[in-house]
Amino acid sequence: MAAFVGIRVSDPWLQSQFTQVQLRTLKSKFISMKKESGSVTVGDLPTVFAKLKGFSKTNEDEIRAILGENNTSMEDKIDFESFLRAYLNIQARSAKKTGNSESAPSFLKASTTTFQRTINESEKASYVAHINSYLAEDRFLKKHLPIDPATNALFELAKDGVLLCKLINVAVPGTIDERAINMKAVLNPWERNENHTLGLNSAKAIGCTVVNIGTQDLVEVESRPHLLLGLISQIIKIQLLADLNLKKTPQLVELIDDFQDVEELMSLSPEKVLLKWMNFQLKKAGYEKQVTNFSSDLKDGEAYAHLLNVLAPEHSDPSTLEAKSPEQRASMVLEQAEKLNCKRYITANDIVEGSPNLNLAFVAQIFQHRSGLSTDNKKIPLSEMITEDAQTSREERCFRLWMNSLGIVTYVNNVFEDVRNGWVLLEVLDKVSPNSVNWKQASKPPIKMPFRKVENCNQVIKIGKQLNFSLVNVCGNDIVQGNKKLLLAFLWQLMRFTMLQLLKNLRFHAQGKEITDSDILNWANKKIKDAGGTSLIESFKDKIISSGIFFLELLRAVEPRIVNWKLVTKGETDEDKKLNATYIISVARKLGCSVFLLPEDIIEVNQKMILTLTASIMYWSLQQQAGDSNAEQSSNNERASDEDSSSVTSEQGQTG
């Protein structure tokens, strides 16, 4: 008989913090505790948690103290979700105490996410100024702008999800098809949730870390304002650093001495490129110190003074360097920056206190307004030698964003460069196939000995073969050498494996049957046919997919109200296909699908990306079925329990 094999919880964020293996283990412990005494209380947790692997250095008394911090009674009964939340709380505190990030939950590992519970009012004011500036002319939002940073107007405006979606489109234009955003004066809870779902999935698709944020966090933003500000910070950062790569700004080759260093420059994160640029300009100014961060190295304002003097000599003021205090110098630096039209999103106090987020934003603004790089430099042709196939570039982007979305510790900036030491791939494998990595045989970066990189990559290949990947005549050294074709093929198999495992865990199937590409294709065609659609396909490379009608009919089949057919074109011209494709991606994200493809992948019928999108829609649909099935089973159990109770009561009455 078919059975639901996955463990599901009602909160999507909470679900995202655990693998199915972890959920099954914790569910088993919870059920065992419940069987022993009939219910689980807060007081039962310290003994159980203290024995778990991740809490070995946190004793029962410490766990009891943490659980009691919120005036929680040890006698309070808890359900499974409360059990999971308590587990995450103790795990986070345990990791913080020991300084061990390996045992921390995924949302604590993401370096780009804000975890601070207290609001930084200066950062909030800066983000509000950014929003007021860039969205001032937006037709829907302008009636709510400008926002007063001294009030909670930002959090109130963010509740319907429109602001987040609009801000994402400012950062990376075209990410969201605005036709998919619910924009009315008053939105019902369903429409509001759709906007937040669209916003979160789109934020993930541009490189934000959102594993610690759920739609409920944005609906009840007053109680979790730090999560919204952390997300806004990431979006603004992506916008400000967008041009810090050789593709957008080929003049950056001026920062290197020869072509051999181009690959190294390409592998750097935008933040490190910005630091490299800043030090390049400071060297020209005769500044001898090296700026290594956007905090302590900038507190005295001297680096800023030298930077602005060399970039804008017409506005230079020698007295800035002679200022008696860092506060005075910082104020003079900001006055000088104003002359370059750098908006004052940062205060003198922010510079002196070393605010890393605001300093980074300020330096990025200076770069945008006056980079100081030559427009006719002879080295620029070097960047043109770095040819990259458009499809290869899109696939690299897709896999990079997918890898980062898993909540791995290392943030991937460039797939082809960042995976060559094998460590990142081991992190990803550990996420998608828990306990598959032997960490005792792995070397953590920085890795000085080349053979250690090969050892890491050999383990990657070994695990891949255990997962039945096609890796004929492939060895670890191929990854170390940066073989792009091989890397893309390996990552595709890894992504596909993950999708199929997710589907297998949710599928009602007999005898543990594995899910195949054909199963996904047949499921999609059957869904469309059962819903009265006609756009059936023969394979995931069927050219009729390019019109977009297949996916629109599939989306309608799984959720009838999600597609507005008034916005759909016939998909006959290139322009109409593009309109449909952009709409499809936004509607899928609005539904709750996590997808990383681009409209071009649909228009050009990229077989791999078409499969990922179809599988994502299938996964969402099966999740709903599983939820309905669990709810029905729970209802039946409650009914049976009530009948048993009634029977017992009746028998007791007759006996009496």
Side-chain angles (χ1 to χ4, degrees), residues 254-300:
E254 191 176 346
L255 306 183
I256 60 179
D257 295 324
D258 55 58
F259 183 69
Q260 291 181 344
D261 295 329
V262 171
E263 286 189 356
E264 181 186 346
L265 183 64
M266 289 177 63
S267 69
L268 294 178
S269 65
E271 297 96 315
K272 289 184 178 178
V273 173
L274 190 61
L275 280 174
K276 192 174 182 71
W277 165 81
M278 188 176 190
N279 284 309
F280 175 79
Q281 298 298 349
L282 289 173
K283 187 176 180 180
K284 287 198 282 186
Y287 187 68
E288 297 180 356
K289 297 179 183 177
Q290 189 83 359
V291 177
T292 61
N293 58 62
F294 292 103
S295 183
S296 58
D297 288 356
L298 300 175
K299 284 184 175 182
D300 60 12

Short mmCIF file of all heavy atoms in Angstrom, two decimals, residues 254-300:
data_model
loop_
_atom_site.label_atom_id
_atom_site.label_comp_id
_atom_site.label_asym_id
_atom_site.label_seq_id
_atom_site.Cartn_x
_atom_site.Cartn_y
_atom_site.Cartn_z
N GLU A 254 42.98 46.59 -15.05
CA GLU A 254 44.05 47.50 -14.68
C GLU A 254 44.62 47.16 -13.29
O GLU A 254 45.74 47.53 -12.95
CB GLU A 254 43.54 48.95 -14.68
CG GLU A 254 44.63 50.00 -14.57
CD GLU A 254 44.09 51.42 -14.67
OE1 GLU A 254 42.93 51.59 -15.10
OE2 GLU A 254 44.83 52.35 -14.32
N LEU A 255 43.85 46.41 -12.51
CA LEU A 255 44.28 46.06 -11.16
C LEU A 255 45.31 44.94 -11.14
O LEU A 255 45.91 44.67 -10.10
CB LEU A 255 43.08 45.62 -10.31
CG LEU A 255 41.87 46.56 -10.21
CD1 LEU A 255 40.84 45.97 -9.26
CD2 LEU A 255 42.30 47.94 -9.75
N ILE A 256 45.51 44.27 -12.26
CA ILE A 256 46.42 43.12 -12.29
C ILE A 256 47.63 43.42 -13.17
O ILE A 256 47.60 44.31 -14.02
CB ILE A 256 45.71 41.85 -12.79
CG1 ILE A 256 45.16 42.06 -14.21
CG2 ILE A 256 44.60 41.45 -11.84
CD1 ILE A 256 44.48 40.85 -14.77
N ASP A 257 48.68 42.63 -12.96
CA ASP A 257 49.94 42.87 -13.68
C ASP A 257 50.04 42.10 -14.99
O ASP A 257 50.63 42.58 -15.95
CB ASP A 257 51.13 42.49 -12.78
CG ASP A 257 51.21 43.38 -11.55
OD1 ASP A 257 50.90 44.58 -11.68
OD2 ASP A 257 51.56 42.87 -10.47
N ASP A 258 49.51 40.91 -15.04
CA ASP A 258 49.58 40.14 -16.28
C ASP A 258 48.36 39.23 -16.41
O ASP A 258 47.57 39.08 -15.48
CB ASP A 258 50.87 39.30 -16.35
CG ASP A 258 51.03 38.39 -15.15
OD1 ASP A 258 50.13 37.57 -14.91
OD2 ASP A 258 52.05 38.51 -14.44
N PHE A 259 48.23 38.60 -17.56
CA PHE A 259 47.04 37.80 -17.87
C PHE A 259 46.88 36.62 -16.92
O PHE A 259 45.78 36.16 -16.68
CB PHE A 259 47.11 37.31 -19.32
CG PHE A 259 45.89 36.54 -19.74
CD1 PHE A 259 44.66 37.18 -19.88
CD2 PHE A 259 45.95 35.17 -19.96
CE1 PHE A 259 43.53 36.46 -20.25
CE2 PHE A 259 44.82 34.45 -20.34
CZ PHE A 259 43.62 35.11 -20.48
N GLN A 260 47.99 36.12 -16.37
CA GLN A 260 47.90 34.97 -15.47
C GLN A 260 47.08 35.28 -14.22
O GLN A 260 46.58 34.38 -13.55
CB GLN A 260 49.31 34.52 -15.07
CG GLN A 260 50.09 33.89 -16.23
CD GLN A 260 51.47 33.43 -15.79
OE1 GLN A 260 51.96 33.83 -14.74
NE2 GLN A 260 52.10 32.59 -16.61
N ASP A 261 46.98 36.57 -13.88
CA ASP A 261 46.24 36.97 -12.69
C ASP A 261 44.75 37.19 -12.96
O ASP A 261 43.99 37.47 -12.04
CB ASP A 261 46.83 38.26 -12.10
CG ASP A 261 48.25 38.06 -11.60
OD1 ASP A 261 48.55 36.94 -11.18
OD2 ASP A 261 49.04 39.01 -11.66
N VAL A 262 44.35 37.10 -14.24
CA VAL A 262 42.95 37.35 -14.57
C VAL A 262 42.02 36.35 -13.88
O VAL A 262 40.99 36.70 -13.32
CB VAL A 262 42.73 37.32 -16.11
CG1 VAL A 262 41.24 37.35 -16.43
CG2 VAL A 262 43.42 38.51 -16.76
N GLU A 263 42.40 35.06 -13.93
CA GLU A 263 41.57 34.04 -13.30
C GLU A 263 41.44 34.27 -11.80
O GLU A 263 40.38 34.07 -11.22
CB GLU A 263 42.14 32.64 -13.57
CG GLU A 263 41.92 32.16 -14.99
CD GLU A 263 42.31 30.70 -15.18
OE1 GLU A 263 42.81 30.10 -14.21
OE2 GLU A 263 42.09 30.17 -16.27
N GLU A 264 42.53 34.72 -11.19
CA GLU A 264 42.49 35.01 -9.75
C GLU A 264 41.52 36.15 -9.48
O GLU A 264 40.72 36.09 -8.53
CB GLU A 264 43.88 35.39 -9.25
CG GLU A 264 43.91 35.68 -7.75
CD GLU A 264 45.26 36.18 -7.28
OE1 GLU A 264 46.25 36.05 -8.03
OE2 GLU A 264 45.33 36.72 -6.16
N LEU A 265 41.55 37.18 -10.32
CA LEU A 265 40.63 38.30 -10.16
C LEU A 265 39.19 37.85 -10.34
O LEU A 265 38.28 38.27 -9.61
CB LEU A 265 40.96 39.41 -11.17
CG LEU A 265 40.13 40.70 -11.07
CD1 LEU A 265 40.37 41.41 -9.75
CD2 LEU A 265 40.45 41.64 -12.23
N MET A 266 38.96 36.95 -11.30
CA MET A 266 37.61 36.46 -11.56
C MET A 266 37.07 35.65 -10.38
O MET A 266 35.86 35.60 -10.15
CB MET A 266 37.60 35.58 -12.82
CG MET A 266 37.79 36.35 -14.11
SD MET A 266 37.86 35.23 -15.53
CE MET A 266 36.23 34.50 -15.47
N SER A 267 37.97 35.00 -9.63
CA SER A 267 37.53 34.15 -8.53
C SER A 267 37.22 34.93 -7.26
O SER A 267 36.63 34.39 -6.33
CB SER A 267 38.60 33.10 -8.23
OG SER A 267 39.75 33.70 -7.66
N LEU A 268 37.63 36.20 -7.22
CA LEU A 268 37.40 37.00 -6.01
C LEU A 268 35.93 37.39 -5.87
O LEU A 268 35.24 37.64 -6.86
CB LEU A 268 38.25 38.27 -6.04
CG LEU A 268 39.78 38.11 -5.97
CD1 LEU A 268 40.46 39.47 -6.07
CD2 LEU A 268 40.19 37.41 -4.69
N SER A 269 35.48 37.48 -4.63
CA SER A 269 34.13 37.98 -4.37
C SER A 269 34.09 39.47 -4.69
O SER A 269 35.14 40.14 -4.68
CB SER A 269 33.76 37.76 -2.90
OG SER A 269 34.59 38.55 -2.07
N PRO A 270 32.91 40.02 -4.98
CA PRO A 270 32.82 41.46 -5.27
C PRO A 270 33.40 42.33 -4.15
O PRO A 270 34.03 43.35 -4.42
CB PRO A 270 31.31 41.69 -5.41
CG PRO A 270 30.77 40.37 -5.85
CD PRO A 270 31.60 39.36 -5.13
N GLU A 271 33.23 41.90 -2.89
CA GLU A 271 33.78 42.67 -1.77
C GLU A 271 35.29 42.73 -1.85
O GLU A 271 35.90 43.78 -1.63
CB GLU A 271 33.37 42.06 -0.43
CG GLU A 271 31.88 42.06 -0.16
CD GLU A 271 31.24 40.73 -0.55
OE1 GLU A 271 31.56 40.22 -1.65
OE2 GLU A 271 30.44 40.22 0.23
N LYS A 272 35.92 41.60 -2.20
CA LYS A 272 37.39 41.57 -2.27
C LYS A 272 37.90 42.34 -3.49
O LYS A 272 38.98 42.93 -3.45
CB LYS A 272 37.87 40.12 -2.30
CG LYS A 272 37.69 39.42 -0.95
CD LYS A 272 38.26 38.02 -0.95
CE LYS A 272 38.10 37.38 0.43
NZ LYS A 272 38.62 35.98 0.46
N VAL A 273 37.12 42.32 -4.58
CA VAL A 273 37.49 43.13 -5.74
C VAL A 273 37.45 44.60 -5.37
O VAL A 273 38.33 45.39 -5.76
CB VAL A 273 36.55 42.85 -6.94
CG1 VAL A 273 36.85 43.81 -8.08
CG2 VAL A 273 36.70 41.41 -7.41
N LEU A 274 36.44 44.97 -4.59
CA LEU A 274 36.30 46.37 -4.16
C LEU A 274 37.49 46.77 -3.28
O LEU A 274 38.04 47.88 -3.43
CB LEU A 274 34.99 46.55 -3.40
CG LEU A 274 34.56 47.99 -3.09
CD1 LEU A 274 34.38 48.79 -4.37
CD2 LEU A 274 33.27 48.01 -2.28
N LEU A 275 37.90 45.89 -2.38
CA LEU A 275 39.08 46.17 -1.54
C LEU A 275 40.34 46.27 -2.39
O LEU A 275 41.19 47.15 -2.16
CB LEU A 275 39.26 45.07 -0.49
CG LEU A 275 38.37 45.14 0.75
CD1 LEU A 275 38.58 43.88 1.60
CD2 LEU A 275 38.67 46.38 1.58
N LYS A 276 40.45 45.39 -3.39
CA LYS A 276 41.62 45.41 -4.28
C LYS A 276 41.67 46.73 -5.05
O LYS A 276 42.73 47.33 -5.22
CB LYS A 276 41.55 44.22 -5.25
CG LYS A 276 42.83 43.95 -6.02
CD LYS A 276 42.70 42.68 -6.83
CE LYS A 276 44.00 42.36 -7.58
NZ LYS A 276 45.07 41.93 -6.67
N TRP A 277 40.51 47.17 -5.51
CA TRP A 277 40.42 48.45 -6.23
C TRP A 277 40.81 49.61 -5.31
O TRP A 277 41.57 50.50 -5.69
CB TRP A 277 39.00 48.65 -6.76
CG TRP A 277 38.73 50.06 -7.19
CD1 TRP A 277 39.08 50.64 -8.39
CD2 TRP A 277 38.09 51.09 -6.44
NE1 TRP A 277 38.69 51.96 -8.42
CE2 TRP A 277 38.07 52.26 -7.23
CE3 TRP A 277 37.51 51.13 -5.17
CZ2 TRP A 277 37.51 53.45 -6.79
CZ3 TRP A 277 36.95 52.32 -4.73
CH2 TRP A 277 36.95 53.47 -5.53
N MET A 278 40.30 49.58 -4.08
CA MET A 278 40.58 50.66 -3.13
C MET A 278 42.08 50.74 -2.84
O MET A 278 42.67 51.83 -2.86
CB MET A 278 39.79 50.43 -1.84
CG MET A 278 39.86 51.59 -0.87
SD MET A 278 38.82 51.31 0.58
CE MET A 278 38.89 52.95 1.34
N ASN A 279 42.71 49.60 -2.60
CA ASN A 279 44.15 49.59 -2.32
C ASN A 279 44.97 50.01 -3.54
O ASN A 279 46.02 50.64 -3.41
CB ASN A 279 44.59 48.21 -1.83
CG ASN A 279 44.18 47.95 -0.39
OD1 ASN A 279 44.44 48.76 0.49
ND2 ASN A 279 43.53 46.82 -0.14
N PHE A 280 44.47 49.67 -4.73
CA PHE A 280 45.13 50.09 -5.98
C PHE A 280 45.16 51.61 -6.07
O PHE A 280 46.19 52.21 -6.43
CB PHE A 280 44.37 49.48 -7.16
CG PHE A 280 44.85 49.92 -8.51
CD1 PHE A 280 45.99 49.37 -9.07
CD2 PHE A 280 44.15 50.88 -9.23
CE1 PHE A 280 46.44 49.77 -10.32
CE2 PHE A 280 44.59 51.29 -10.49
CZ PHE A 280 45.74 50.73 -11.04
N GLN A 281 44.03 52.24 -5.75
CA GLN A 281 43.96 53.71 -5.81
C GLN A 281 44.76 54.35 -4.67
O GLN A 281 45.41 55.38 -4.86
CB GLN A 281 42.49 54.16 -5.74
CG GLN A 281 41.61 53.67 -6.88
CD GLN A 281 42.07 54.18 -8.24
OE1 GLN A 281 42.91 55.06 -8.34
NE2 GLN A 281 41.51 53.60 -9.30
N LEU A 282 44.71 53.73 -3.48
CA LEU A 282 45.44 54.28 -2.33
C LEU A 282 46.95 54.24 -2.56
O LEU A 282 47.69 55.12 -2.11
CB LEU A 282 45.08 53.51 -1.06
CG LEU A 282 43.68 53.74 -0.51
CD1 LEU A 282 43.39 52.80 0.65
CD2 LEU A 282 43.51 55.20 -0.06
N LYS A 283 47.41 53.21 -3.27
CA LYS A 283 48.83 53.10 -3.59
C LYS A 283 49.26 54.27 -4.46
O LYS A 283 50.35 54.84 -4.28
CB LYS A 283 49.11 51.77 -4.29
CG LYS A 283 50.59 51.48 -4.52
CD LYS A 283 50.77 50.11 -5.15
CE LYS A 283 52.26 49.83 -5.37
NZ LYS A 283 52.46 48.48 -5.99
N LYS A 284 48.39 54.65 -5.40
CA LYS A 284 48.68 55.81 -6.27
C LYS A 284 48.74 57.09 -5.45
O LYS A 284 49.46 58.02 -5.80
CB LYS A 284 47.61 55.93 -7.36
CG LYS A 284 47.73 54.87 -8.45
CD LYS A 284 46.97 55.25 -9.70
CE LYS A 284 45.50 55.03 -9.60
NZ LYS A 284 44.78 55.27 -10.86
N ALA A 285 47.97 57.11 -4.36
CA ALA A 285 47.92 58.31 -3.52
C ALA A 285 49.07 58.36 -2.52
O ALA A 285 49.21 59.34 -1.78
CB ALA A 285 46.58 58.36 -2.78
N GLY A 286 49.88 57.28 -2.49
CA GLY A 286 51.00 57.27 -1.56
C GLY A 286 50.63 56.80 -0.16
O GLY A 286 51.42 56.96 0.78
N TYR A 287 49.46 56.22 -0.01
CA TYR A 287 49.01 55.71 1.30
C TYR A 287 49.66 54.36 1.52
O TYR A 287 49.47 53.42 0.73
CB TYR A 287 47.49 55.59 1.31
CG TYR A 287 46.87 55.24 2.65
CD1 TYR A 287 46.91 56.14 3.70
CD2 TYR A 287 46.25 54.01 2.86
CE1 TYR A 287 46.32 55.84 4.93
CE2 TYR A 287 45.66 53.69 4.07
CZ TYR A 287 45.71 54.60 5.11
OH TYR A 287 45.14 54.30 6.32
N GLU A 288 50.45 54.22 2.56
CA GLU A 288 51.27 53.03 2.75
C GLU A 288 50.55 51.86 3.42
O GLU A 288 50.95 50.71 3.28
CB GLU A 288 52.52 53.39 3.57
CG GLU A 288 53.43 54.39 2.84
CD GLU A 288 54.66 54.74 3.65
OE1 GLU A 288 54.77 54.26 4.79
OE2 GLU A 288 55.51 55.50 3.13
N LYS A 289 49.49 52.13 4.16
CA LYS A 289 48.78 51.05 4.84
C LYS A 289 47.95 50.24 3.85
O LYS A 289 47.53 50.76 2.80
CB LYS A 289 47.87 51.61 5.93
CG LYS A 289 48.61 52.32 7.06
CD LYS A 289 47.61 52.87 8.08
CE LYS A 289 48.31 53.66 9.16
NZ LYS A 289 47.33 54.26 10.12
N GLN A 290 47.67 49.00 4.20
CA GLN A 290 46.82 48.13 3.39
C GLN A 290 45.45 48.03 4.05
O GLN A 290 45.35 47.70 5.23
CB GLN A 290 47.45 46.73 3.29
CG GLN A 290 46.76 45.80 2.31
CD GLN A 290 47.22 46.02 0.87
OE1 GLN A 290 48.03 46.89 0.61
NE2 GLN A 290 46.69 45.23 -0.05
N VAL A 291 44.40 48.33 3.30
CA VAL A 291 43.04 48.21 3.83
C VAL A 291 42.58 46.77 3.61
O VAL A 291 42.49 46.30 2.48
CB VAL A 291 42.07 49.19 3.13
CG1 VAL A 291 40.65 48.99 3.64
CG2 VAL A 291 42.51 50.62 3.36
N THR A 292 42.30 46.08 4.71
CA THR A 292 41.93 44.66 4.61
C THR A 292 40.47 44.40 4.96
O THR A 292 40.00 43.28 4.82
CB THR A 292 42.81 43.81 5.55
OG1 THR A 292 42.61 44.25 6.90
CG2 THR A 292 44.28 43.95 5.18
N ASN A 293 39.76 45.43 5.44
CA ASN A 293 38.36 45.25 5.81
C ASN A 293 37.62 46.57 5.70
O ASN A 293 38.23 47.62 5.48
CB ASN A 293 38.24 44.68 7.23
CG ASN A 293 38.92 45.58 8.26
OD1 ASN A 293 38.54 46.73 8.45
ND2 ASN A 293 39.95 45.05 8.92
N PHE A 294 36.29 46.51 5.84
CA PHE A 294 35.46 47.71 5.76
C PHE A 294 35.05 48.19 7.14
O PHE A 294 34.01 48.83 7.30
CB PHE A 294 34.22 47.44 4.91
CG PHE A 294 34.52 47.20 3.45
CD1 PHE A 294 34.51 45.91 2.93
CD2 PHE A 294 34.85 48.25 2.62
CE1 PHE A 294 34.80 45.68 1.60
CE2 PHE A 294 35.15 48.04 1.29
CZ PHE A 294 35.13 46.75 0.77
N SER A 295 35.87 47.88 8.12
CA SER A 295 35.54 48.26 9.49
C SER A 295 36.69 49.01 10.16
O SER A 295 36.85 50.21 9.97
CB SER A 295 35.16 47.01 10.29
OG SER A 295 34.77 47.34 11.59
N SER A 296 37.52 48.29 10.91
CA SER A 296 38.57 48.92 11.71
C SER A 296 39.59 49.70 10.88
O SER A 296 40.11 50.73 11.33
CB SER A 296 39.29 47.86 12.56
OG SER A 296 39.84 46.85 11.73
N ASP A 297 39.88 49.24 9.66
CA ASP A 297 40.89 49.91 8.83
C ASP A 297 40.43 51.26 8.30
O ASP A 297 41.24 52.02 7.74
CB ASP A 297 41.29 49.02 7.65
CG ASP A 297 42.12 47.82 8.08
OD1 ASP A 297 42.44 47.74 9.29
OD2 ASP A 297 42.45 46.97 7.24
N LEU A 298 39.13 51.55 8.45
CA LEU A 298 38.60 52.81 7.92
C LEU A 298 38.16 53.77 9.01
O LEU A 298 37.70 54.88 8.71
CB LEU A 298 37.40 52.51 6.99
CG LEU A 298 37.71 51.62 5.78
CD1 LEU A 298 36.42 51.30 5.02
CD2 LEU A 298 38.70 52.29 4.85
N LYS A 299 38.29 53.37 10.27
CA LYS A 299 37.76 54.17 11.38
C LYS A 299 38.34 55.57 11.49
O LYS A 299 37.64 56.52 11.86
CB LYS A 299 37.99 53.43 12.71
CG LYS A 299 37.03 52.27 12.95
CD LYS A 299 37.27 51.66 14.32
CE LYS A 299 36.26 50.59 14.63
NZ LYS A 299 36.45 50.03 16.00
N ASP A 300 39.64 55.71 11.19
CA ASP A 300 40.27 57.03 11.36
C ASP A 300 40.01 57.97 10.19
O ASP A 300 40.34 59.16 10.25
CB ASP A 300 41.77 56.89 11.61
CG ASP A 300 42.50 56.19 10.46
OD1 ASP A 300 41.90 56.02 9.38
OD2 ASP A 300 43.67 55.81 10.65
#
